[in-house]
Amino acid sequence: MNETNQTDIRTWFMDFTEKYRDKNGTMHPVLMLKYDHSMRVATDSRDIARELGWSAGDIAIAETIGLLHDVSRFPQFAEYKTFLDHRSFDHGERGYQIIAKSDILSGLCESEQNQILNSVRYHNKKTIDPGMNSEELRFVNLIRDADKLDILSIVYETIKNNRHKDYPEILSHVDPDGPATPELIAEIRKCGHGSYENVRSMTDMNLMRMTWVYNINYMPALQRLAKRGHLDQLDETMIKNPDVEELLAKARNFVADKLSKENPIKT
Ligand SMILES: [Fe+2]
């Protein structure tokens, strides 16, 4: 991928999102949030790829994936007024289709096209097929990390600025003031992650996000997570009890241990 390819794709993304502005040129605030999210994830993806020592072409692909990964959020909200995939469509799958149907990747070789398409397609899946081609997997792993980092920032900013009641889309319609659900605590304690069926409160959502630390793929992403204070922010926005404290302490120890080893988890 060269600079011209990248500029053309960026122009296409700008034109695509432009359609979701009203007559006065205003975009709905939650779509504006997605637009800004796409920009930040693109930047983080580029910077993480650079720190990993990837080639200039691969850095450009990583940045492009960051920009495009949530492209289907715009039609999703316009059509369904939700970002909940189970009430609309799988947004990774729809993003893949939108990009595949366009001709924006036509200037790229087949392997680059597949790296972009499959990263968009699988960025939101619960698990990734471990048999995925390793040349694609490294990009999928990167977008999953960069996406998580920015979601952690968005959620914290939304809660801190008391916008969670205005933006139920961002916090998935959960009870903002409810306590941690015991079933979720038990699940996380047992297997390190929880399931959305046991999520009832914002504290539960934040516990789920806390478990993301166990699934960060690249060391520069984990370093950013620590440096940006995401665990402290989650701590600040949860209703605490001894179980929550214990899970938080475990997550903190896990991150501290990984960082102290200073070796890439995956390269
Ligand atoms: Fe997404």
Side-chain angles (χ1 to χ4, degrees):
M1 172 181 250
N2 60 36
E3 238 172 84
T4 311
N5 304 138
Q6 197 179 359
T7 308
D8 289 348
I9 295 173
R10 186 169 271 262
T11 305
W12 175 86
F13 179 80
M14 299 297 182
D15 291 344
F16 184 89
T17 53
E18 229 14 64
K19 291 183 285 189
Y20 298 91
R21 292 184 189 275
D22 64 19
K23 280 176 252 151
N24 307 317
T26 312
M27 198 179 269
H28 189 288
V30 292
L31 284 182
M32 205 57 228
L33 204 74
K34 283 291 171 197
Y35 182 88
D36 293 339
H37 165 70
S38 305
M39 295 295 161
R40 287 191 301 265
V41 173
T43 303
D44 262 352
S45 299
R46 178 198 68 198
D47 294 348
I48 293 169
R50 203 173 270 162
E51 280 178 47
L52 289 168
W54 290 9
S55 69
D58 286 352
I59 293 169
I61 290 171
E63 186 174 6
T64 300
I65 292 166
L67 185 72
L68 297 179
H69 77 287
D70 265 351
V71 69
S72 68
R73 291 303 203 180
F74 296 85
Q76 184 179 42
F77 190 77
E79 281 173 48
Y80 296 91
K81 296 281 174 280
T82 184
F83 289 144
L84 296 175
D85 285 11
H86 65 272
R87 292 193 192 163
S88 51
F89 50 66
D90 178 325
H91 78 277
E93 212 58 37
R94 185 62 65 94
Y96 166 88
Q97 289 161 4
I98 292 169
I99 297 164
K101 270 187 213 154
S102 75
D103 65 349
I104 55 167
L105 305 185
S106 58
L108 308 181
C109 67
E110 202 185 328
S111 61
E112 291 173 327
Q113 293 185 10
N114 288 334
Q115 283 159 352
I116 295 174
L117 285 168
N118 284 326
S119 295
V120 172
R121 187 177 211 168
Y122 294 108
H123 84 271
N124 65 329
K125 300 294 181 284
K126 207 168 175 186
T127 52
I128 301 298
D129 177 1
M132 181 186 266
N133 163 343
S134 62
E135 270 305 296
E136 290 171 21
L137 189 60
R138 66 195 178 100
F139 288 96
V140 175
N141 282 336
L142 178 48
I143 184 61
R144 289 167 73 88
D145 281 5
D147 194 22
K148 286 183 176 80
L149 286 176
D150 198 61
I151 292 170
L152 287 168
S153 298
I154 289 178
V155 169
Y156 178 65
E157 291 302 321
T158 304
I159 298 171
K160 199 180 81 175
N161 297 318
N162 214 22
R163 305 296 301 274
H164 52 287
K165 290 187 176 88
D166 303 335
Y167 288 162
E169 285 313 314
I170 304 304
L171 295 163
S172 301
H173 306 271
V174 291
D175 174 6
D177 307 310
T181 300
E183 290 84 349
L184 183 70
I185 297 271
E187 204 181 4
I188 295 175
R189 197 176 272 144
K190 195 173 166 196
C191 44
H193 57 84
S195 40
Y196 281 99
E197 298 86 75
N198 288 327
V199 169
R200 276 160 220 144
S201 65
M202 200 160 68
T203 291
D204 291 342
M205 285 303 294
N206 285 339
L207 278 171
M208 293 284 280
R209 293 184 185 110
M210 183 207 73
T211 67
W212 289 353
V213 301
Y214 302 115
N215 291 308
I216 293 289
N217 299 295
Y218 292 110
M219 192 54 82
L222 197 65
Q223 285 164 338
R224 280 168 171 73
L225 186 146
K227 203 170 162 197
R228 294 175 187 175
H230 288 314
L231 281 177
D232 294 337
Q233 294 170 350
L234 289 169
D235 187 338
E236 201 186 304
T237 51
M238 285 199 269
I239 292 173
K240 244 63 65 56
N241 67 26
D243 294 328
V244 172
E245 303 270 16
E246 179 208 306
L247 293 179
L248 263 168
K250 232 186 223 177
R252 283 186 205 284
N253 287 339
F254 175 86
V255 173
D257 186 52
K258 285 282 175 198
L259 292 181
S260 72
K261 289 181 180 146
E262 275 189 76
N263 287 318
I265 302 168
K266 291 174 194 169
T267 56

